[in-house]
Amino acid sequence: MIPFLDLARLNAPHQHRIQAAMQRVAESGWYVLGQEVKAFEAAFARYVGVRHCIGVANGLEALTLVLKAWAFEAGSEVLVPSNAYIASVLAITHAGLTPVLVEPDPQTYTLDPARLGAALTSRTRAILPVHLYGRCTDMAPLLAFAATHKLRVLEDAAQAHGATYRGRQAGSLGHAAGFSFYPTKNLGALGDAGAITTDDDALAEQLRMWRNYGSAQKYVNDVPGHNSRLDELQAAILGEKLPFVAAENDRRRQLARRYLAELTLPDLTLPPADAVDADAWHLFVVRHPERDAFRTYLQQQGIGTDIHYPIPPYRQRAYATSWAGTDWPIAEAMHREVLSLPLNPTLTDDEVTRCVRTINAYMK
Ligand SMILES: *Cc1c(COP(=O)(O)O)cnc(C)c1O
């Protein structure tokens, strides 16, 4: 059996470092907002190429806190891709704002900048591009549009640690970015964790309050903040794993290149191959017109897959009344056809060979 993702195997090469970090924190007597968080924030800011990193509880909080700190008037609209993961949409509504869905580019699965104009209203205040599957959104036209219309840009970089766009890292392309370190991400903690990156000094200062009860000084509260702190244990573990992300992403790129070159099943649509070395390949997502039958076949052959995602945000019960009667044909087709193949840094060459052979042998 080749599992879609085995988290124990993913962390096995790091076990000795993880154990040492956990012991260090356990014995330190300091467990929240201490030296480990400070050191990781500095290292991650350097890695992304920005001035500030603010560690927070998870990726959803990272996005929510930035939108709250920007303090747009109630009813303001945020443009977000119609095929986003639910967290991107939840962040907007948690901040009291209105998500306006914009269809993605059907080739890249990321927000299509050419469609922004039609979604713009006098209430639009921000754009939330999602670098889905580890590929950066086409940011140049998006940033030009944002500048013209005085909009803030919040990158959802939760799947894009180490992805680049024109030589710059995901998380350094907009006004601020949210990262997740959920265990399955390219940089994963042993629990929930997240971070915000930004070059904006004033925003960074605000966010350090927002994540800590709205307080810069103990028992003095300047904004109605959250308890959304990255804890010392997770920060220490992330700090140990960060130096290996670049090499692990390179291994992901190697495997992606093999899939792209060797998968020949006629009905299969492969992901875009134009930015193999820039993409972080968080997921290798193919499309098949009879996805569910194809997935069952792979399962029977011992190959685990996953679907990112089976139900789009606008069809979730959580938002039952928000978008009734509207349709997003591009996102709809994606959710029906996408399938994520096994791809992670610990996957062996032999395992990829088996995946490729099994997929290419599929007959309806
Ligand atoms: C994982 C993820 C999030 C949310 O991160 P959590 O840490 O799980 O809250 C947000 N956006 C995208 C695209 C994600 O993949």
Side-chain angles (χ1 to χ4, degrees):
M1 178 78 199
I2 301 173
F4 173 69
L5 187 63
D6 175 345
L7 290 174
R9 193 169 137 183
L10 202 60
N11 280 317
H14 302 293
Q15 272 311 324
H16 55 297
R17 285 182 283 275
I18 290 171
Q19 299 290 339
M22 285 170 55
Q23 187 172 354
R24 186 169 77 232
V25 174
E27 290 171 357
S28 74
W30 195 291
Y31 307 116
V32 175
L33 294 187
Q35 289 311 313
E36 299 285 352
V37 167
K38 208 171 245 164
F40 174 70
E41 288 177 336
F44 196 68
R46 216 175 313 119
Y47 174 75
V48 171
V50 293
R51 280 214 293 282
H52 305 284
C53 168
I54 299 98
V56 295
N58 54 60
L60 172 59
E61 283 287 297
L63 299 170
T64 306
L65 292 178
V66 172
L67 292 170
K68 285 199 171 185
W70 277 339
F72 301 125
E73 61 274 37
S76 294
E77 295 173 354
V78 180
L79 308 182
V80 64
S82 52
N83 64 325
Y85 175 56
I86 193 74
S88 317
V89 180
L90 285 173
I92 297 169
T93 56
H94 284 353
L97 306 170
T98 303
V100 173
L101 305 183
V102 179
E103 289 262 79
D105 177 325
Q107 258 75 53
T108 64
Y109 305 102
T110 58
L111 199 152
D112 183 355
R115 295 172 183 273
L116 291 168
L120 188 77
T121 75
S122 59
R123 293 177 302 279
T124 312
R125 293 293 174 271
I127 312 174
L128 205 169
V130 182
H131 304 321
L132 201 67
Y133 309 151
R135 181 193 175 91
C136 284
T137 306
D138 187 9
M139 291 298 281
L142 185 147
L143 291 169
F145 182 90
T148 303
H149 301 285
K150 301 193 164 44
L151 308 176
R152 301 265 105 189
V153 176
L154 171 58
E155 298 170 71
D156 182 339
Q159 301 188 358
H161 320 68
T164 61
Y165 178 79
R166 301 190 181 174
R168 289 177 54 194
Q169 295 258 99
S172 72
L173 304 166
H175 297 102
F179 282 90
S180 166
F181 306 114
Y182 185 76
T184 59
K185 311 285 174 163
N186 287 32
L187 175 58
L190 267 58
D192 280 307
I196 298 154
T197 54
T198 184
D199 270 325
D200 182 333
D201 299 343
L203 178 66
E205 196 181 327
Q206 285 287 312
L207 288 167
R208 287 183 198 288
M209 292 197 283
W210 271 100
R211 73 164 170 195
N212 188 27
Y213 295 119
S215 168
Q217 187 190 339
K218 203 170 182 182
Y219 306 132
V220 179
N221 304 83
D222 295 319
V223 291
H226 293 200
N227 174 355
S228 182
R229 302 171 297 220
L230 173 62
D231 68 64
E232 288 282 283
L233 204 52
Q234 300 301 346
I237 292 165
L238 290 167
E240 296 293 334
K241 291 181 70 179
L242 177 60
F244 299 90
V245 173
E248 290 177 345
N249 279 350
D250 282 343
R251 176 65 182 160
R252 289 174 183 272
R253 291 174 182 125
Q254 246 174 29
L255 299 173
R257 243 183 260 114
R258 278 202 56 194
Y259 274 144
L260 289 168
E262 298 173 32
L263 289 174
T264 54
L265 185 69
D267 278 344
L268 208 61
T269 304
L270 298 177
D274 60 316
V276 182
D277 295 317
D279 290 6
W281 295 103
H282 173 60
L283 296 168
F284 191 93
V285 176
V286 298
R287 290 172 74 162
H288 193 283
E290 285 148 39
R291 188 258 321 270
D292 295 334
F294 178 54
R295 186 181 192 206
T296 303
Y297 159 79
L298 292 176
Q299 189 64 34
Q300 285 162 351
Q301 299 293 316
I303 294 174
T305 57
D306 206 341
I307 298 172
H308 300 89
Y309 298 91
I311 306 171
Y314 53 82
R315 277 207 279 109
Q316 298 288 355
R317 212 172 312 140
Y319 290 113
T321 57
S322 305
W323 291 289
T326 329
D327 51 67
W328 288 275
I330 296 177
E332 199 60 29
M334 283 175 185
H335 289 81
R336 217 171 30 238
E337 296 180 355
V338 292
L339 187 69
S340 304
L341 303 182
L343 188 154
N344 71 78
T346 65
L347 202 66
T348 66
D349 291 333
D350 286 349
E351 287 174 322
V352 176
T353 302
R354 241 191 76 206
C355 289
V356 167
R357 284 197 187 136
T358 308
I359 292 166
N360 288 345
Y362 180 59
M363 282 183 295
K364 277 186 274 192

